Amino acid sequence: MKIVLIVILVAIIFFCCFVFKVAQKISKMISEPNLKTDAQGIEYAKKSGDYDFYEALNKEDFTVSNFSGYVLHCQLCKNYKDSTSKKYVIISHGHKGNRYMSIKYAVLFQKLGFNTIIYDLRGHGLNEKAYITFGAE
């Protein structure tokens, strides 16, 4: 019986250490993300073969502020076939990326007749450095 309790205790200790290490890595990833630069995002778009298409689009930069005044940098890309299109899609990039990493998706929607809006998430790209809250703020 004592051996079983010792084995269970050791297993619990190892499990707690594992959970602690995972929590440390997640915490560091959120508080100190290794964000992609604009140059890295552009290089990513060039490798996908969509950057030249994006460059030829009629683009308009704008900003949007949230309730606390934090400013997000955005870009409206008018549809290349139909500049009067009323169809819009907002495309978000992934964690640690920037709006240039959304270009491959913008191209797909452009070809379907949509105007596309790409933007930098909080703390990414052209936006002021900030904690990434995943929508908590």
Side-chain angles (χ1 to χ4, degrees), residues 5 17-18 26 34 55 75 79-80 94 104 115-116 119 125 128:
L5 289 175
C17 290
F18 172 76
I26 290 172
N34 181 18
E55 274 293 294
Q75 190 172 66
N79 187 265
Y80 74 104
K104 66 180 178 179
N115 295 300
T116 54
Y119 68 101
E128 181 180 319

Side-chain angles (χ1 to χ4, degrees), residues 53-61 75-78 118:
F53 182 94
Y54 162 79
E55 274 293 294
L57 294 174
N58 181 14
K59 296 178 285 294
E60 181 181 320
D61 292 327
Q75 190 172 66
L76 167 64
C77 303
K78 297 298 281 181
I118 57 176

Side-chain angles (χ1 to χ4, degrees), residues 13-25:
I13 290 170
F14 276 115
F15 179 73
C16 289
C17 290
F18 172 76
V19 169
F20 179 73
K21 280 299 212 183
V22 169
Q24 268 185 324
K25 287 185 179 191

Side-chain angles (χ1 to χ4, degrees), residues 44 72-75 77 88-109 115-125 127 132 134-135:
Y44 177 84
L72 292 177
H73 289 80
C74 311
Q75 190 172 66
C77 303
Y88 289 83
V89 64
I90 300 171
I91 303 170
S92 182
H93 62 79
H95 181 57
K96 298 184 183 182
N98 58 47
R99 64 178 152 179
Y100 296 109
M101 300 179 99
S102 303
I103 290 173
K104 66 180 178 179
Y105 304 109
V107 169
L108 295 172
F109 282 99
N115 295 300
T116 54
I117 297 172
I118 57 176
Y119 68 101
D120 291 318
L121 292 169
R122 177 184 174 92
H124 294 72
N127 296 328
I132 300 163
F134 294 102

Side-chain angles (χ1 to χ4, degrees), residues 37-82:
T37 64
D38 282 355
Q40 288 172 314
I42 291 170
E43 185 62 31
Y44 177 84
K46 285 181 178 178
K47 284 182 183 176
S48 71
D50 296 319
Y51 191 74
D52 291 336
F53 182 94
Y54 162 79
E55 274 293 294
L57 294 174
N58 181 14
K59 296 178 285 294
E60 181 181 320
D61 292 327
F62 65 98
T63 60
V64 175
S65 299
N66 72 2
F67 63 91
S68 65
Y70 187 82
V71 177
L72 292 177
H73 289 80
C74 311
Q75 190 172 66
L76 167 64
C77 303
K78 297 298 281 181
N79 187 265
Y80 74 104
K81 291 184 199 174
D82 179 8

